[in-house]
Amino acid sequence: LRIVILGAGAGACAAAVDLKLNGFDVILCSSYEPDIKERITPIQARGGLDYSGVLGEGFMPIETSTDENEVKAADVIMVVTLANGDEYYASKCGKLISEDQIVFLNPGYIGSSIRFSNIVRANTGKRIKICETNNLPYISRLIGPTHVRIFKKSKFLLFSSFPSKDNDLCFSKIRPIYPFLKLAENVLETGMLNPNIILHPAGMAMNAGWIEFTKGDFFYYLEGHTPAVARVIDSFDEERLNICRAAKVKTMKFVDFYYKNEYTTDGSKGVYEALRNSEPNRTIKAPPSLNHRYVTEDVGYGLVPMAAIGRIARVKTPTMDSLIHLISTMTAVHYETDGLTLEKMNLVDVDLSRLNAILKDGF
Amino acid sequence: LKITVIGAGNGAFASAADLADRGHKVTMFNRTQSKLDTVRRSGGISLTFNNETRFVKPINVSSSPKEAITDADAIVVAVPTTAHAYVADRIGKCLSDGQLVLLNPGHTLGGLEFRNRLRRNSIKKKIKLCETMTLTYITRLRGAGAVQIFRKSKNIRISALPSVDNSSIFDTAKEIFPNLVLARNVLETGLDNINAICHPPGTIMNAGWIEHTRGNFKFYKDGITPGIGKITEAIDQERQAIMRSFAIKPISFVELFHSVGSTTLRKGSVYSAMKASEANKTIKAPASLDSRYILEDVGYGLVPMVELSKIAGVGAPTMESLVNLSSIMNGVNYWKEGRTAKKLGINGMKKADLLKLVGTGK
């Protein structure tokens, strides 16, 4: 199985090391200028990646490339980028991908596969096979230009393809890579359980001054997620559960997901207790500014489409809406319109039954 | 004048001491009488102002509303705005025709709530009711029976309810607080409520910092960052749109902040105006989220402002978002617990009705 990993951030590097440790044929590829300069070039020079953390310590030789044409030779094209990177590679690689290959967004956000698939279809007319997880399987950070530290590897993640009629085919190809994946009904079930979307925006909004004044010099979860902040996340999660109930999407409470993944030793109470008892998150610092993926990605590509699904399901989402509005205001970015809107997913004026039909059979 | 000051907090002590110091005959009254024990025993208040401390006397303390109110020329209500309804209930029966009742401050529409309580209690006395937009002093209590006035704010707007009474109250009101200027009506004073504009964003968007450190940072100087300043500016835009809809010419928050003497900047961003605030630079954040910065400034500031926005027919999404988040984070539904249109007696009113009410009282 030849796997091309598109992307070169901490997640992509963690995936490259992990998959190679498990004997897969992997190449790390990015054609994105900043990635090439800051990541691919040093990794190329070193001939691979140093790694440490839960997968052990060592050096792993990694093949690298800056040429998207690499995707032609791959069985699986694994996209491990920020959510806005999906659009970049969908535009760049669409013409190179065949309908026999599998595009694997690791992770997807809400509607990421739909958007990727739409872009490729609009540009090339091809109906590709595409699938996604609900979260990156690693908590990892680059602690040097060629050194990735992996704090945690997931125990339980959801997986689905778009459209879901391809589920069995895609699952049979991807499951050997990540045996802990559980097949979901469709990409709405995976997207609605993306933990970053649930967890990150409230902490950013309600610690905005602290982040800006100290440039993020405090422990984001351990110190920044006080009972009041956690109550907002609990309320957010309640709204998400209401959307899933109304849209008949199977899901679970955020704290249950967290516990199942062993991110916390206490999933029996609310978000506050779950984060208090989260060993992998204990030492994670707050972002250095408000212009960070916790906002750009988790609001723009997560919260905005999640609230939009809420409107399709006719569920009230005051907590989500308030966070979108306040975060847009404080960062002077109009996420309501600049984020992943229903329009960008081709889902304008779609009702629940039409949405479910699209999720199953595609456009 | 014979003036009764109601309350026993920063504002009441500052008012009582300053008024007595300027020769008025002052009586104090408070719900919790023990808070006035020191004044009752010593017969006065230790006042620090302009780097000088002296003992101001005589100041009376009364334990009966009847005795406190009956012969007063004016009643200064200097209580947290959450207590306006209580004060109206408690002193309503004792009021008499022609008495001036001055809410210092009214916060946002304290006068309307006060009036509505009197009506509900069938009190028909023709009092002169008026309210200021914010407290006339920057002040803090300094131990038992002592108060420090950092600054007497300038250009504090006041209006009578109804505003036809403006000309008849203004001379007396200025005798009590010389730093007053007349507003068009109580909608203007209520929407110029400075605290409601700047406290909620700084508190809610610093919720984690406040809870984790128990407020151990400089609220204005460090806590109002560029991002939070933008939220304050958005509230300010919404507030100005409401005012324009009610035919009131608004001035921006920064101008307002400058006009009361809180910053040296007359225009520019909220962030830069806060940085340039000498008066506020040492003020710490509240020690918890269960603070008047939320209870008063969201519940009795942003909530009535949103009610006004609905009557005005303009959107207030930033104010609404802040009320939503503060309700969730504190586990209190301020949409219900706060100063609602119903409590103000303006439920379901059209814009013209409300303008008539604040203008003529009818």
Side-chain angles (χ1 to χ4, degrees):
Chain A
L1 201 68
R2 170 83 168 166
I3 303 166
V4 171
I5 297 175
L6 293 177
C13 292
V17 169
D18 181 34
L19 299 194
K20 277 219 82 174
L21 281 169
N22 286 305
F24 292 98
D25 176 15
V26 172
I27 177 165
L28 190 66
C29 174
S30 177
S31 64
Y32 182 61
E33 264 321 310
D35 270 357
I36 294 174
K37 202 165 143 244
E38 289 167 37
R39 310 259 191 261
I40 298 289
T41 306
I43 296 168
Q44 214 152 34
R46 175 107 174 87
L49 282 161
D50 300 295
Y51 63 97
S52 54
V54 293
L55 303 182
E57 254 177 65
F59 172 77
M60 178 62 70
I62 303 275
E63 198 184 334
T64 55
S65 169
T66 58
D67 181 1
E68 288 125 16
N69 280 297
E70 289 293 342
V71 304
K72 286 190 203 162
D75 300 298
V76 171
I77 299 150
M78 186 194 282
V79 185
V80 191
T81 62
L82 297 184
N84 53 5
D86 293 351
E87 291 172 21
Y88 172 84
Y89 283 115
S91 313
K92 284 260 180 183
C93 300
K95 57 183 182 298
L96 308 171
I97 301 171
S98 81
E99 293 177 351
D100 303 330
Q101 291 174 304
I102 290 176
V103 176
F104 174 35
L105 305 183
N106 186 26
Y109 269 69
I110 290 184
S112 301
S113 291
I114 301 177
R115 174 107 170 108
F116 197 108
S117 167
N118 285 347
I119 293 173
V120 174
R121 193 161 42 84
N123 291 346
T124 69
K126 278 185 275 197
R127 290 177 183 277
I128 55 162
K129 297 200 171 48
I130 183 163
C131 51
E132 61 179 61
T133 56
N134 69 320
N135 195 21
L136 183 70
Y138 314 97
I139 296 183
S140 57
R141 294 287 184 270
L142 285 164
I143 59 169
T146 64
H147 187 158
V148 61
R149 175 165 290 165
I150 298 151
F151 298 96
K152 181 97 187 104
K153 187 176 171 188
S154 295
K155 305 282 178 187
F156 168 86
L157 288 181
L158 297 180
F159 173 90
S160 184
S161 52
F162 174 75
S164 63
K165 63 178 183 187
D166 295 335
N167 263 356
D168 290 340
L169 177 77
C170 292
F171 196 44
S172 68
K173 280 276 177 61
I174 304 299
R175 197 179 190 184
I177 306 177
Y178 292 128
F180 51 82
L181 292 179
K182 180 177 172 291
L183 189 60
E185 180 79 24
N186 55 38
V187 290
L188 197 52
E189 186 180 336
T190 57
M192 289 300 286
L193 194 57
N194 181 315
N196 291 359
I197 303 171
I198 305 164
L199 191 55
H200 290 156
M204 292 301 281
M206 302 185 72
N207 285 301
W210 203 359
I211 290 171
E212 278 198 304
F213 182 69
T214 66
K215 301 194 198 318
D217 190 18
F218 63 95
F219 293 110
Y220 188 59
Y221 296 103
L222 192 67
E223 299 180 321
H225 284 65
T226 58
V229 178
R231 275 195 289 276
V232 173
I233 300 173
D234 283 321
S235 165
F236 184 115
D237 201 41
E238 196 59 45
E239 290 174 9
R240 185 186 64 84
L241 293 169
N242 289 340
I243 297 171
C244 289
R245 215 169 288 132
K248 301 207 165 46
V249 171
K250 212 161 53 168
T251 195
M252 63 180 79
K253 282 166 79 174
F254 167 79
V255 288
D256 291 338
F257 175 80
Y258 227 55
Y259 181 73
K260 252 179 127 85
N261 266 299
E262 298 176 11
Y263 288 148
T264 181
T265 52
D266 186 356
S268 64
K269 299 182 198 79
V271 165
Y272 179 69
E273 287 78 9
L275 291 176
R276 285 272 107 175
N277 296 294
S278 172
E279 191 55 39
N281 282 328
R282 193 174 297 277
T283 56
I284 290 185
K285 287 274 185 106
S289 83
L290 300 176
N291 181 23
H292 182 267
R293 68 182 168 88
Y294 286 4
V295 168
T296 53
E297 187 173 49
D298 295 321
V299 177
Y301 292 83
L303 185 43
V304 166
M306 192 181 276
I309 299 291
R311 285 196 297 280
I312 293 179
R314 297 173 184 278
V315 171
K316 286 213 169 96
T317 55
T319 312
M320 296 183 183
D321 298 342
S322 298
L323 287 171
I324 294 171
H325 183 78
L326 292 176
I327 290 171
S328 295
T329 305
M330 76 184 188
T331 55
V333 177
H334 294 283
Y335 286 102
E336 292 105 325
T337 50
D338 293 0
L340 187 52
T341 57
L342 290 176
E343 205 170 19
K344 290 178 189 163
M345 292 187 276
N346 288 4
L347 293 176
V348 177
D349 293 332
V350 161
D351 64 9
L352 270 182
S353 66
R354 173 78 186 122
L355 177 64
N356 278 311
I358 292 170
L359 291 168
K360 185 157 173 278
D361 298 317
F363 285 97
Chain B
L1 293 175
K2 243 184 122 190
I3 301 169
T4 293
V5 176
I6 298 180
N10 300 320
F13 269 79
S15 299
D18 180 42
L19 294 180
D21 194 39
R22 289 191 288 109
H24 295 292
K25 192 164 181 302
V26 174
T27 297
M28 295 182 84
F29 173 77
N30 190 51
R31 166 162 40 180
T32 309
Q33 297 189 16
S34 59
K35 288 191 179 170
L36 296 175
D37 279 351
T38 316
V39 184
R40 184 183 287 112
R41 260 198 315 274
S42 65
I45 292 173
S46 163
L47 168 67
T48 304
F49 180 58
N50 278 346
N51 302 320
E52 188 193 317
T53 301
R54 64 215 137 87
F55 191 73
V56 179
K57 62 177 189 179
I59 292 173
N60 266 324
V61 173
S62 172
S63 55
S64 124
K66 192 162 190 296
E67 177 192 278
I69 303 299
T70 304
D71 293 325
D73 300 309
I75 296 114
V76 170
V77 180
V79 298
T81 193
T82 49
H84 283 149
Y86 169 82
V87 172
D89 291 350
R90 189 80 197 270
I91 70 169
K93 287 193 302 291
C94 314
L95 292 166
S96 49
D97 286 348
Q99 272 182 326
L100 182 77
V101 176
L102 195 161
L103 308 186
N104 184 28
H107 226 72
T108 297
L109 303 180
L112 263 180
E113 187 175 7
F114 196 93
R115 175 186 186 274
N116 196 39
R117 296 301 291 207
L118 294 184
R119 287 167 65 92
R120 279 177 44 181
N121 297 336
S122 305
I123 310 284
K124 301 222 168 69
K125 293 285 165 23
K126 293 188 184 63
I127 58 161
K128 303 276 187 195
L129 181 60
C130 52
E131 61 177 279
T132 60
M133 67 178 188
T134 192
L135 186 66
T136 46
Y137 309 95
I138 305 289
T139 176
R140 290 289 182 270
L141 289 173
R142 286 287 176 251
V147 68
Q148 179 169 8
I149 293 176
F150 299 105
R151 194 158 46 80
K152 299 182 182 178
S153 299
K154 298 180 292 184
N155 299 312
I156 298 295
R157 286 180 176 67
I158 186 167
S159 175
L161 175 70
S163 60
V164 287
D165 290 343
N166 270 354
S167 53
S168 65
I169 60 115
F170 192 53
D171 287 344
T172 316
K174 266 185 90 91
E175 220 179 301
I176 304 172
F177 298 115
N179 43 351
L180 298 174
V181 294
L182 262 185
R184 190 181 174 101
N185 54 36
V186 291
L187 299 179
E188 181 171 2
T189 58
L191 286 160
D192 277 353
N193 177 352
I194 288 177
N195 291 354
I197 306 164
C198 71
H199 289 161
T203 308
I204 297 161
M205 315 297 286
N206 281 312
W209 201 1
I210 289 172
E211 266 196 321
H212 182 71
T213 66
R214 293 175 204 280
N216 190 22
F217 63 94
K218 308 276 195 309
F219 184 76
Y220 296 94
K221 186 170 159 287
D222 299 338
I224 308 297
T225 56
I228 293 179
K230 287 196 191 81
I231 304 234
T232 310
E233 282 157 16
I235 296 181
D236 192 33
Q237 290 300 324
E238 293 171 5
R239 177 186 77 85
Q240 291 187 45
I242 301 167
M243 291 175 92
R244 276 190 288 270
S245 170
F246 285 118
I248 300 161
K249 192 168 176 288
I251 62 171
S252 75
F253 169 76
V254 173
E255 284 173 88
L256 202 56
F257 207 52
H258 177 266
S259 79
V260 299
S262 284
T263 181
T264 51
L265 296 185
R266 192 185 290 273
K267 57 185 175 194
S269 68
V270 165
Y271 170 69
S272 55
M274 291 293 177
K275 284 267 171 225
S277 175
E278 191 58 32
N280 289 347
K281 75 174 182 193
T282 59
I283 294 180
K284 291 255 183 126
S288 84
L289 298 172
D290 181 25
S291 138
R292 68 181 170 89
Y293 283 18
I294 299 292
L295 308 180
E296 271 195 286
D297 298 325
V298 172
Y300 289 73
L302 294 184
V303 167
M305 284 188 193
V306 171
E307 298 282 27
L308 290 180
S309 81
K310 288 178 186 156
I311 295 174
V314 299
T318 313
M319 293 183 185
E320 289 179 26
S321 297
L322 290 168
V323 177
N324 284 340
L325 285 192
S326 51
S327 294
I328 298 161
M329 75 178 193
N330 277 358
V332 177
N333 185 355
Y334 294 108
W335 292 119
K336 214 170 128 236
E337 301 299 323
R339 185 172 272 160
T340 58
K342 198 163 163 237
K343 289 181 191 165
L344 292 168
I346 60 172
N347 208 9
M349 261 190 196
K350 299 259 189 308
K351 190 156 80 176
D353 301 333
L354 179 59
L355 282 169
K356 203 168 144 212
L357 173 67
V358 300
T360 67
K362 298 199 177 81

